[in-house]
Amino acid sequence: MSQAVDIELERDRELRVTYDDGVVATFPILSLRRSCPCAGCRGRREQSLDPYPADSVSAVEAELHGNWGIAIRWSDGHDTGIYAWEHLRRWWDAHLE
Ligand SMILES: [Zn+2]
């Protein structure tokens, strides 16, 4: 189980997560928005529809969900995705190193 011990959000640039094993993972804001884990966005991706209509996006607000993850409200009004630390870590390990 990957726990986040430090979180830094640069609203128009990236989310930086430090995990309890010392790994620092950075996620570009645009990639985060495009990979929104909510059911609606997942469905759109499965149909190869762009889940993300704007040309640029930034994080307006973020709310921590305990030890579990972070919810982000985007400048395009979308706010139903909750990004689990565990999920982000798997994504980081698989694609971004
Ligand atoms: Zn979504």
Side-chain angles (χ1 to χ4, degrees), residues 33 35-42 45 51 74 78-81 83:
R33 177 64 187 92
S35 62
C36 174
C38 84
C41 290
R42 278 207 316 269
R45 283 197 299 275
W74 301 101
H78 193 60
D79 65 357
T80 50
Y83 298 78

Side-chain angles (χ1 to χ4, degrees), residues 33-94:
R33 177 64 187 92
R34 287 193 167 138
S35 62
C36 174
C38 84
C41 290
R42 278 207 316 269
R44 291 183 66 84
R45 283 197 299 275
E46 278 159 18
Q47 297 168 61
S48 300
L49 299 171
D50 191 350
Y52 159 69
D55 288 332
S56 68
V57 74
S58 59
V60 177
E61 252 183 324
E63 189 187 347
L64 293 178
H65 280 243
N67 286 336
W68 195 75
I70 188 170
I72 298 175
R73 186 154 66 85
W74 301 101
S75 57
D76 61 8
H78 193 60
D79 65 357
T80 50
I82 300 174
Y83 298 78
W85 304 129
E86 190 76 25
H87 171 87
L88 289 174
R89 179 57 187 268
R90 274 201 304 272
W91 186 26
W92 173 259
D93 288 344

